[in-house]
Amino acid sequence: MAEENTWTAPVAGGRVEGDVRVPGSKSITNRAYVLAALSAGPTLVREPLDSRDARLMLAALAELGATSEHTADGVLVQPLTRGTGEVSVALGNAGTVARFTPPLAALGARTVHFDGDTAIRRRPVAPLLAALSALGADIDDGGRGAPPFTVRGHGGLRGGAVDLDSSASSQFLSALLLAAPAFDAGATVRLTGRPPSEPHIAMTLDMLRRFGAVPERDGVEFHVPATTLSLTDYSVEPDLSTAAPFVVAPLAVGGTVRIAGWPKETTQPGDWLRSLVRELGAEVTLDERGLTVTGAGRLPGAELDLHEVGELTPVIAALLCFADGPSLISGVAHLRGHETDRLAALATELSALGGDVTETTDGLRIRPATLHGGTFHTYDDHRLVMAGAVLGLRAPGVRVENPGTVGKTFPGFVRAWEDLLAARECAHEF
């Protein structure tokens, strides 16, 4: 019986050649929207990502009193207002919305109900809610430590010092730091567990500085004093993690791909891809035109600690299924609490298509095997759609379930991927 709502990922059949432009970073876009809402005046956010998560963030901010409008130059975000009443925030399955907006709700005077997709109720948020409560927020989560929950705003938040276990998600820490300039006493956050993704923490600190805050860090202690934020204009970088399938394609099948607009300096964790593909044998050039990757279509096995760049795991795991030797991905136990349990999903789906992939305590073990076609289930996870596309480069008949899920970060991904493969065919016509 034919599978409903699937996309048959195109097979490369040879070297890939082409230029790709990816949309703005989701992580930067949603941080920029939050900081803009906390600023003293309107902020124009240029080249933001337009995706489900970004729209959910703008809608959430509107419910909290920070309206926005799309202009020819970007999105103009107005400062938060402290209105009264009762509102509801739709979280979808957006971790940044679920974690970044509750502190803002505590700053206002509204009663705010938070809930979203079934999947968001499984994603951890309890340490953040506990920390907010310790800082003076009035939160009712029914003891669940997860959505649905309610934040009752009382016109501001005391702030101060708090301990935080951010080991399940660096977004817990970022949520407190982003809002801290608006707390009466700022915030001093002491980490009690090692957070994943140091690059995302660095991103948060960098963006706070750009908006006028003065964050300080001393090891596991972070301090952000109360201050007035202000930035009239902010430009969003391309999303380097979203570029991952395009960056690794030449390693899987050979060829050259250029990602336009790749920044020379960035805090994005996706920039790690440059060193990864070089380690796996690709030629890499970064210049004013962007990042150019040339691969030979063969790659060795590898042992990779992806703790700081866990969001790249699905695409990297799919790529390593084509390696000549065994591979080990470690440091990513926290992926069990992402959009889905990514480790279980990857082990199950890659193995179902002929791969030899098993879970470890904190990652995946991948051994060489011959892949074949079939349905690749994606569990409403955008990164799994991208992983399925990479598998399809060399395994004919990979049917990727629910490709529209990729709209979370790159609504035009399927078209861009097909265009890259079509460009390869044109490049090799006589």
Side-chain angles (χ1 to χ4, degrees), residues 37 54-68 77-91 97 101-102 104-115 151 153:
R55 292 175 182 177
L56 285 166
M57 179 62 82
L58 288 176
L61 293 175
E63 292 290 346
L64 298 176
T67 59
S68 60
V77 182
Q78 301 292 336
L80 282 170
T81 61
R82 299 193 177 189
T84 59
E86 194 163 336
V87 299
S88 295
V89 168
L91 303 174
V97 183
T101 59
L104 275 59
L107 295 171
R110 298 171 177 85
T111 295
V112 186
H113 305 288
F114 293 84
D115 200 4
V151 178

Side-chain angles (χ1 to χ4, degrees), residues 214-397:
V214 190
E216 300 174 359
R217 179 176 185 177
D218 183 8
V220 298
E221 184 169 293
F222 298 77
H223 176 64
V224 181
T227 191
T228 299
L229 301 181
S230 180
L231 187 64
T232 57
D233 199 295
Y234 183 87
S235 294
V236 177
E237 297 174 355
D239 194 320
L240 307 188
S241 295
T242 287
F246 302 97
V247 172
V248 306
L251 282 78
V253 297
T256 299
V257 174
R258 179 182 296 117
I259 312 297
W262 196 285
K264 291 189 176 182
E265 294 185 7
T266 180
T267 57
Q268 288 191 64
D271 192 44
W272 175 82
L273 285 164
R274 288 194 292 144
S275 60
L276 170 68
V277 295
R278 186 178 288 114
E279 178 183 338
L280 295 178
E283 296 179 11
V284 181
T285 302
L286 178 60
D287 56 27
E288 65 279 357
R289 297 177 299 172
L291 182 74
T292 303
V293 179
T294 300
R298 294 182 64 86
L299 67 152
E303 293 192 5
L304 303 172
D305 182 345
L306 302 187
H307 183 79
E308 306 298 341
V309 289
E311 63 193 28
L312 301 177
T313 299
V315 165
I316 300 304
L319 173 71
L320 291 176
C321 286
F322 301 129
D324 295 331
S327 299
L328 180 66
I329 294 174
S330 63
V332 290
H334 58 283
L335 294 189
R336 294 189 169 98
H338 276 223
E339 280 81 346
T340 185
D341 181 339
R342 282 180 171 164
L343 297 184
L346 287 165
T348 299
E349 298 305 319
L350 294 172
S351 296
L353 298 188
D356 185 351
V357 182
T358 55
E359 286 189 69
T360 67
T361 56
D362 69 340
L364 297 169
R365 189 177 303 279
I366 304 171
R367 300 178 179 85
T370 301
L371 298 179
H372 56 74
T375 299
F376 186 79
H377 299 97
T378 54
Y379 306 86
D380 294 324
D381 189 330
H382 57 134
R383 300 295 181 196
L384 288 177
V385 175
M386 296 178 182
V390 172
L391 291 177
L393 288 170
R394 286 175 50 172

